[in-house]
Amino acid sequence: MNRTTLSLIAGTAALAAVTGFAALNQPAAAGPDTARAAAELPVERTSLVCPAPSSSDLAETAYTAFTPVTKGTQDNGSAELLPAGQESTDTGDESGKGDEDDKGEKGNKDGKGGKKKAAEKPLLTQNAPGTPAVGETTGGDAPALLGTAEGQFAPGWTVQATTEVAAGSGRGLLGVTCTPADTEFWFPGVSTAADRTDYVHLTNPDDSAAVADIELYGKDGALQTTVGEGITVPPNSSEPVLLSTLTDEKQDDVTVHVNIRSGRVGAAVQALDDKLGGDWLAASAEPAGSLVIPGIPKDATAVRLIAHTPGDTDADLKVQLASPTGLITPAGHETLHIKGGMTTAVDLGDVTRGEAGSLILTPADRSVPVVAAVRVLRGKGDDQESAFIPAAAPVGTRASAVDNSAKGTTLSLTAPRGTAKVKVTASAGSGGGKAASQTYTIKKGTTQDVELPVPDGLKGTYALTVEPLTDTPVYAARTLTATREGVPGFTVQTLPDDRGTVAVPEADEDVAVLQK
């Protein structure tokens, strides 16, 4: 027997041994448990859009940006706000818009068309996570802004514009949280009445035009509109649309539906009243059978609830107020009936009666998707000021609110379904200070205006970060107040999840699939 024959026999025996071992020890067949649970990892990029803050020459606007410190991020990245139509000053394309060019695309400094201008200094650049960055503008020519955060600045990046207007229509304190672009928005609480001037601002952050349809729904259903369909928003620009120009009907309570046919936009409504001041109205949470409207100020003198059901089915809602001591049913307003496709409004008066409160709307019978918001008044007589609070999504994992001061900031937390523990962190100040944290217990069915931790040695403004420590859903809203010439200006922002992390599935090798 020659050497070649011996090698062949040995090789065959070895292969048989290996094959036998594999047959006896093959892994289980692929199944639903083969992949590991998804890991929550920090996002690497966040883009936000901020509408033009005001058309008043008396407007003074402060921009504040903040990123909470997040584990698992690398020590690099950037975050900046640029006027719509401007290119980033960073040659590494940190603007979040890719390789932009000037091939006839519209969008200039004022966000209303024209070729892009050369790169300019950002209005705001963030230097480090955990510390707010601030910028400011004055007058009525301030443009819409496009913001991008990357690397360590991306997870939970939060930006707000807070505007003070001393006099005129919409005077008072106006606040808006800059939002990601999306394709659908609902705004219950707008008006086409003679004493209101309401604009829906559509801001397009992309390099191609977006096309939007704006639908209006009043007390009897859809309003007849003239130019609400096919509104083009040029690339990298913003378009304010005066709602009263879309219809001849004058109604106090209207719901706006913004639907994007192509592209995506950021959307917000600026509601200005001749006598009652004004504020921004953010989009309501997605249509749902149950809704929570958190953080109604305890000194509210009037609360008006506006609700709309998008479909053809009527909805009946139980109306409850989550107070510091538990759920209360407002006398005379136990339920709210909403006809399909119509907008319904009801005055709840001073429903909070000097205590913190949140409205809890639940199905009285079958569940029908609804959107809702409240208009809140503070003050009396000629010194009244208004603000809006939309139905909110829960805080989720984490949420932040920025531009807080040592005085004039109120944080409301509510846990409608069960007792919750919540950690609240006050960041270092924009001009100095040391972060501080406090943990609170919110009992089931209650709303608490919590006593806030204040950063040691605070200079400037600071950010509040809310982190639920239990699985119970928590809803939050932050109120800013400022009195100028006796007028009690205020603005309220809800705190939905900051979407600072993303689920990334992990998978194991499965050689069983190779044996089939």
Short mmCIF file of all heavy atoms in Angstrom, two decimals, residues 51-92:
data_model
loop_
_atom_site.label_atom_id
_atom_site.label_comp_id
_atom_site.label_asym_id
_atom_site.label_seq_id
_atom_site.Cartn_x
_atom_site.Cartn_y
_atom_site.Cartn_z
N PRO A 51 -38.99 76.94 13.43
CA PRO A 51 -39.67 77.94 12.59
C PRO A 51 -39.16 79.34 12.86
O PRO A 51 -38.55 79.61 13.91
CB PRO A 51 -41.14 77.78 12.99
CG PRO A 51 -41.09 77.29 14.40
CD PRO A 51 -39.88 76.40 14.48
N ALA A 52 -39.39 80.25 11.92
CA ALA A 52 -39.04 81.66 12.14
C ALA A 52 -39.79 82.15 13.38
O ALA A 52 -41.00 81.95 13.50
CB ALA A 52 -39.43 82.49 10.92
N PRO A 53 -39.10 82.79 14.34
CA PRO A 53 -39.70 83.02 15.66
C PRO A 53 -40.80 84.05 15.71
O PRO A 53 -41.75 83.92 16.49
CB PRO A 53 -38.50 83.44 16.52
CG PRO A 53 -37.52 84.02 15.54
CD PRO A 53 -37.69 83.20 14.29
N SER A 54 -40.71 85.13 14.93
CA SER A 54 -41.71 86.20 15.04
C SER A 54 -41.56 87.17 13.88
O SER A 54 -40.47 87.31 13.30
CB SER A 54 -41.54 86.96 16.37
OG SER A 54 -42.48 88.01 16.46
N SER A 55 -42.66 87.83 13.54
CA SER A 55 -42.62 88.90 12.54
C SER A 55 -42.65 90.28 13.18
O SER A 55 -42.66 91.29 12.48
CB SER A 55 -43.80 88.75 11.57
OG SER A 55 -45.03 88.82 12.27
N SER A 56 -42.64 90.33 14.52
CA SER A 56 -42.69 91.59 15.24
C SER A 56 -41.30 92.23 15.35
O SER A 56 -40.33 91.55 15.69
CB SER A 56 -43.27 91.39 16.65
OG SER A 56 -43.16 92.57 17.41
N ASP A 57 -41.23 93.53 15.11
CA ASP A 57 -39.97 94.24 15.26
C ASP A 57 -39.54 94.31 16.71
O ASP A 57 -38.37 94.61 17.02
CB ASP A 57 -40.09 95.65 14.70
CG ASP A 57 -40.25 95.66 13.18
OD1 ASP A 57 -39.83 94.68 12.55
OD2 ASP A 57 -40.80 96.65 12.64
N LEU A 58 -40.48 94.04 17.64
CA LEU A 58 -40.18 94.11 19.06
C LEU A 58 -39.73 92.77 19.64
O LEU A 58 -39.45 92.67 20.84
CB LEU A 58 -41.42 94.59 19.83
CG LEU A 58 -42.00 95.95 19.41
CD1 LEU A 58 -43.26 96.24 20.22
CD2 LEU A 58 -40.98 97.05 19.59
N ALA A 59 -39.66 91.76 18.80
CA ALA A 59 -39.36 90.41 19.28
C ALA A 59 -37.91 90.27 19.71
O ALA A 59 -36.99 90.76 19.05
CB ALA A 59 -39.67 89.39 18.20
N GLU A 60 -37.72 89.60 20.84
CA GLU A 60 -36.39 89.22 21.33
C GLU A 60 -36.41 87.72 21.56
O GLU A 60 -37.16 87.23 22.40
CB GLU A 60 -36.06 89.96 22.62
CG GLU A 60 -35.99 91.48 22.47
CD GLU A 60 -35.69 92.18 23.78
OE1 GLU A 60 -35.49 91.47 24.79
OE2 GLU A 60 -35.66 93.41 23.79
N THR A 61 -35.59 86.99 20.82
CA THR A 61 -35.65 85.52 20.84
C THR A 61 -34.35 84.94 21.36
O THR A 61 -33.26 85.31 20.90
CB THR A 61 -35.94 84.96 19.44
OG1 THR A 61 -37.18 85.48 18.96
CG2 THR A 61 -36.01 83.45 19.47
N ALA A 62 -34.47 84.03 22.33
CA ALA A 62 -33.32 83.29 22.85
C ALA A 62 -33.41 81.85 22.38
O ALA A 62 -34.45 81.19 22.54
CB ALA A 62 -33.30 83.35 24.37
N TYR A 63 -32.33 81.34 21.80
CA TYR A 63 -32.24 79.94 21.42
C TYR A 63 -31.35 79.21 22.42
O TYR A 63 -30.30 79.70 22.81
CB TYR A 63 -31.64 79.79 20.01
CG TYR A 63 -32.57 80.21 18.90
CD1 TYR A 63 -32.54 81.51 18.40
CD2 TYR A 63 -33.48 79.31 18.35
CE1 TYR A 63 -33.40 81.90 17.38
CE2 TYR A 63 -34.34 79.69 17.34
CZ TYR A 63 -34.29 80.98 16.86
OH TYR A 63 -35.15 81.36 15.85
N THR A 64 -31.80 78.04 22.83
CA THR A 64 -31.02 77.23 23.77
C THR A 64 -30.97 75.80 23.27
O THR A 64 -32.00 75.23 22.89
CB THR A 64 -31.65 77.25 25.18
OG1 THR A 64 -31.89 78.59 25.58
CG2 THR A 64 -30.73 76.58 26.18
N ALA A 65 -29.77 75.23 23.25
CA ALA A 65 -29.57 73.84 22.82
C ALA A 65 -28.89 73.06 23.94
O ALA A 65 -28.05 73.60 24.68
CB ALA A 65 -28.74 73.79 21.55
N PHE A 66 -29.24 71.78 24.04
CA PHE A 66 -28.70 70.97 25.13
C PHE A 66 -28.70 69.50 24.73
O PHE A 66 -29.65 69.00 24.12
CB PHE A 66 -29.53 71.15 26.40
CG PHE A 66 -29.14 70.23 27.53
CD1 PHE A 66 -28.00 70.47 28.27
CD2 PHE A 66 -29.92 69.12 27.84
CE1 PHE A 66 -27.63 69.62 29.31
CE2 PHE A 66 -29.57 68.27 28.88
CZ PHE A 66 -28.42 68.52 29.62
N THR A 67 -27.62 68.81 25.10
CA THR A 67 -27.54 67.35 24.97
C THR A 67 -27.20 66.76 26.32
O THR A 67 -26.17 67.12 26.91
CB THR A 67 -26.44 66.94 23.96
OG1 THR A 67 -26.75 67.48 22.69
CG2 THR A 67 -26.36 65.43 23.86
N PRO A 68 -28.04 65.88 26.87
CA PRO A 68 -27.67 65.22 28.14
C PRO A 68 -26.49 64.29 27.93
O PRO A 68 -26.30 63.74 26.83
CB PRO A 68 -28.95 64.44 28.51
CG PRO A 68 -29.69 64.27 27.24
CD PRO A 68 -29.36 65.45 26.37
N VAL A 69 -25.69 64.12 28.95
CA VAL A 69 -24.55 63.20 28.87
C VAL A 69 -25.09 61.78 28.72
O VAL A 69 -25.95 61.34 29.48
CB VAL A 69 -23.67 63.31 30.13
CG1 VAL A 69 -22.54 62.29 30.08
CG2 VAL A 69 -23.11 64.72 30.25
N THR A 70 -24.61 61.08 27.70
CA THR A 70 -25.12 59.74 27.38
C THR A 70 -23.96 58.75 27.33
O THR A 70 -22.95 59.00 26.67
CB THR A 70 -25.84 59.75 26.01
OG1 THR A 70 -26.89 60.73 26.04
CG2 THR A 70 -26.45 58.39 25.71
N LYS A 71 -24.11 57.63 28.01
CA LYS A 71 -23.07 56.60 28.00
C LYS A 71 -23.02 55.94 26.63
O LYS A 71 -24.02 55.79 25.94
CB LYS A 71 -23.36 55.55 29.07
CG LYS A 71 -23.28 56.06 30.50
CD LYS A 71 -23.55 54.94 31.49
CE LYS A 71 -23.45 55.44 32.93
NZ LYS A 71 -23.73 54.35 33.91
N GLY A 72 -21.82 55.53 26.24
CA GLY A 72 -21.66 54.78 25.00
C GLY A 72 -21.37 55.62 23.78
O GLY A 72 -21.23 55.08 22.68
N THR A 73 -21.27 56.95 23.94
CA THR A 73 -20.96 57.80 22.80
C THR A 73 -19.45 58.03 22.71
O THR A 73 -18.73 57.95 23.71
CB THR A 73 -21.66 59.17 22.91
OG1 THR A 73 -21.21 59.83 24.09
CG2 THR A 73 -23.17 58.99 22.96
N GLN A 74 -18.97 58.34 21.52
CA GLN A 74 -17.57 58.66 21.33
C GLN A 74 -17.32 60.13 21.62
O GLN A 74 -18.25 60.94 21.59
CB GLN A 74 -17.15 58.32 19.90
CG GLN A 74 -17.28 56.85 19.56
CD GLN A 74 -16.86 56.54 18.15
OE1 GLN A 74 -16.56 57.43 17.37
NE2 GLN A 74 -16.81 55.26 17.81
N ASP A 75 -16.09 60.47 21.90
CA ASP A 75 -15.75 61.85 22.25
C ASP A 75 -15.50 62.71 21.01
O ASP A 75 -14.43 63.30 20.85
CB ASP A 75 -14.53 61.86 23.18
CG ASP A 75 -14.79 61.19 24.50
OD1 ASP A 75 -15.97 61.19 24.93
OD2 ASP A 75 -13.85 60.67 25.11
N ASN A 76 -16.49 62.75 20.14
CA ASN A 76 -16.37 63.61 18.97
C ASN A 76 -17.76 64.00 18.50
O ASN A 76 -18.76 63.55 19.05
CB ASN A 76 -15.58 62.93 17.85
CG ASN A 76 -16.20 61.60 17.44
OD1 ASN A 76 -17.40 61.37 17.59
ND2 ASN A 76 -15.38 60.71 16.92
N GLY A 77 -17.82 64.83 17.48
CA GLY A 77 -19.10 65.25 16.94
C GLY A 77 -19.26 66.76 17.00
O GLY A 77 -18.35 67.50 17.40
N SER A 78 -20.44 67.24 16.59
CA SER A 78 -20.71 68.67 16.59
C SER A 78 -22.22 68.88 16.64
O SER A 78 -23.01 67.97 16.37
CB SER A 78 -20.13 69.34 15.33
OG SER A 78 -20.77 68.82 14.17
N ALA A 79 -22.62 70.11 16.98
CA ALA A 79 -24.03 70.48 16.98
C ALA A 79 -24.12 71.97 16.71
O ALA A 79 -23.45 72.77 17.37
CB ALA A 79 -24.68 70.14 18.33
N GLU A 80 -24.96 72.34 15.74
CA GLU A 80 -25.07 73.75 15.37
C GLU A 80 -26.42 74.05 14.76
O GLU A 80 -27.10 73.16 14.24
CB GLU A 80 -23.95 74.14 14.40
CG GLU A 80 -23.98 73.38 13.09
CD GLU A 80 -22.81 73.73 12.18
OE1 GLU A 80 -21.83 74.32 12.67
OE2 GLU A 80 -22.88 73.41 10.98
N LEU A 81 -26.80 75.33 14.83
CA LEU A 81 -28.02 75.83 14.20
C LEU A 81 -27.63 76.82 13.11
O LEU A 81 -26.86 77.75 13.36
CB LEU A 81 -28.90 76.54 15.23
CG LEU A 81 -29.66 75.69 16.25
CD1 LEU A 81 -30.38 76.60 17.24
CD2 LEU A 81 -30.64 74.77 15.57
N LEU A 82 -28.18 76.59 11.92
CA LEU A 82 -27.90 77.46 10.78
C LEU A 82 -29.20 78.03 10.22
O LEU A 82 -30.23 77.35 10.24
CB LEU A 82 -27.20 76.68 9.67
CG LEU A 82 -25.75 76.27 9.92
CD1 LEU A 82 -25.32 75.24 8.89
CD2 LEU A 82 -24.84 77.48 9.87
N PRO A 83 -29.19 79.26 9.71
CA PRO A 83 -30.38 79.78 9.04
C PRO A 83 -30.75 78.89 7.86
O PRO A 83 -29.88 78.36 7.17
CB PRO A 83 -29.93 81.17 8.56
CG PRO A 83 -28.81 81.54 9.48
CD PRO A 83 -28.11 80.26 9.80
N ALA A 84 -32.05 78.70 7.65
CA ALA A 84 -32.51 77.89 6.52
C ALA A 84 -31.91 78.43 5.24
O ALA A 84 -31.94 79.63 4.97
CB ALA A 84 -34.03 77.90 6.45
N GLY A 85 -31.33 77.54 4.42
CA GLY A 85 -30.71 77.95 3.18
C GLY A 85 -29.22 78.16 3.28
O GLY A 85 -28.57 78.41 2.28
N GLN A 86 -28.66 78.05 4.50
CA GLN A 86 -27.22 78.26 4.67
C GLN A 86 -26.51 76.92 4.73
O GLN A 86 -27.07 75.91 5.17
CB GLN A 86 -26.94 79.04 5.95
CG GLN A 86 -27.54 80.42 5.95
CD GLN A 86 -26.97 81.30 4.86
OE1 GLN A 86 -25.77 81.36 4.69
NE2 GLN A 86 -27.83 81.97 4.13
N GLU A 87 -25.26 76.92 4.34
CA GLU A 87 -24.43 75.73 4.42
C GLU A 87 -23.60 75.78 5.69
O GLU A 87 -23.26 76.85 6.20
CB GLU A 87 -23.52 75.62 3.20
CG GLU A 87 -24.29 75.41 1.90
CD GLU A 87 -23.36 75.35 0.72
OE1 GLU A 87 -22.25 75.90 0.82
OE2 GLU A 87 -23.74 74.76 -0.30
N SER A 88 -23.24 74.61 6.18
CA SER A 88 -22.42 74.53 7.38
C SER A 88 -21.05 75.14 7.14
O SER A 88 -20.50 75.10 6.05
CB SER A 88 -22.25 73.06 7.80
OG SER A 88 -21.34 72.96 8.86
N THR A 89 -20.49 75.72 8.20
CA THR A 89 -19.12 76.23 8.13
C THR A 89 -18.10 75.12 8.26
O THR A 89 -16.92 75.32 8.06
CB THR A 89 -18.87 77.24 9.27
OG1 THR A 89 -19.14 76.60 10.51
CG2 THR A 89 -19.80 78.43 9.13
N ASP A 90 -18.56 73.92 8.59
CA ASP A 90 -17.67 72.78 8.78
C ASP A 90 -17.48 72.07 7.45
O ASP A 90 -18.42 71.59 6.84
CB ASP A 90 -18.28 71.81 9.81
CG ASP A 90 -17.27 70.78 10.28
OD1 ASP A 90 -16.60 70.18 9.43
OD2 ASP A 90 -17.19 70.58 11.51
N THR A 91 -16.25 71.97 6.99
CA THR A 91 -15.98 71.33 5.70
C THR A 91 -16.19 69.83 5.74
O THR A 91 -16.26 69.19 4.71
CB THR A 91 -14.53 71.61 5.26
OG1 THR A 91 -13.63 71.15 6.29
CG2 THR A 91 -14.32 73.10 5.05
N GLY A 92 -16.34 69.29 6.94
CA GLY A 92 -16.61 67.86 7.06
C GLY A 92 -18.07 67.53 6.96
O GLY A 92 -18.48 66.44 7.29
#
